[in-house]
Amino acid sequence: MAERITTARPYAKAIFALARKGNTLAATSAGLVRAAEVAADPRVRALLGNPHVTPAQLAELVSGVAGPALDEHGRNFVSLLAQNRRLGFLPEIAALFELMKSELENAVDVEVIAASQLTPDQESRYAAALQKKLGRSVRLHTKVDGSLIGGAVLKAGDLVIDGSIKGRLERLATDLTA
């Protein structure tokens, strides 16, 4: 994985610099996410290493399926990636772009995995507490996982806060067997 990130980083930096200069961070972000989804599709991935498919055809395919989400710079970027045989790195490039965008905006994406659907009040309390702890604006992305029994797991980059009953039971079991 580290090698893929290392390969993707210069491309992400380049498209980020271009988007920042053109003041198109949001649009470029949306286009990259869409193109990354297309490139990650198993049917498209099967074509990436196929010697019978030209880079121009691959670029046309990804740009065509991504549609209007990709602006002119996005289509040119996809074409460049195709020529350099790097279309398979689009998911990593998009993820790195999002990290750079969040750093610039002093924001952080937090994944909240809860045992049940959160109420708007619970979401706002989580967001306020995390904003205070992290010192950044917070964008919550919630998921429901009933196997947690109760509570929630919060993930923000490398930070993981496990406040679930399942997590507590697992820690208790580890402590008892140690």
Side-chain angles (χ1 to χ4, degrees):
M1 184 66 170
E3 294 168 2
R4 292 186 63 79
I5 294 294
T6 301
T7 302
R9 186 171 287 114
Y11 291 101
K13 285 181 178 180
I15 192 69
F16 183 79
L18 183 65
R20 189 170 177 193
K21 182 179 178 185
N23 201 24
T24 60
L25 285 172
T28 302
S29 173
L32 280 177
V33 167
R34 182 65 186 125
E37 290 170 353
V38 174
D41 185 283
R43 296 168 293 188
V44 174
R45 286 195 84 73
L47 295 174
L48 295 180
N50 189 330
H52 300 294
V53 181
T54 67
Q57 290 171 323
L58 289 170
E60 176 95 18
L61 173 68
V62 172
S63 294
V65 175
L70 280 176
D71 61 7
E72 181 184 351
H73 292 301
R75 287 188 300 276
N76 290 340
F77 185 69
V78 166
S79 180
L80 173 76
L81 290 174
Q83 289 170 4
N84 292 327
R85 304 233 180 255
R86 298 287 192 250
L87 275 176
F89 291 90
L90 261 170
E92 290 84 2
I93 293 168
L96 288 168
F97 184 93
E98 290 303 313
L99 284 174
M100 289 184 267
K101 182 174 171 269
S102 292
E103 282 290 321
L104 181 69
E105 295 170 344
N106 197 29
V108 63
D109 288 306
V110 178
E111 182 180 23
V112 179
I113 306 167
S116 60
Q117 188 65 41
L118 296 178
T119 65
D121 181 53
Q122 289 172 318
E123 285 185 9
S124 65
R125 286 188 312 197
Y126 275 128
L130 287 166
Q131 185 169 347
K132 184 177 178 182
K133 179 174 179 62
L134 301 173
R136 303 169 99 184
S137 64
V138 173
R139 294 184 294 243
L140 289 182
H141 306 281
T142 59
K143 293 181 183 177
V144 176
D145 181 356
S147 73
L148 296 178
I149 305 170
V153 177
L154 306 162
K155 297 179 180 180
D158 293 341
L159 175 68
V160 177
I161 302 171
D162 189 347
S164 69
I165 293 175
K166 179 181 177 182
R168 290 179 189 166
L169 290 173
E170 288 172 355
R171 287 189 296 277
L172 179 63
T174 301
D175 289 347
L176 289 173
T177 58

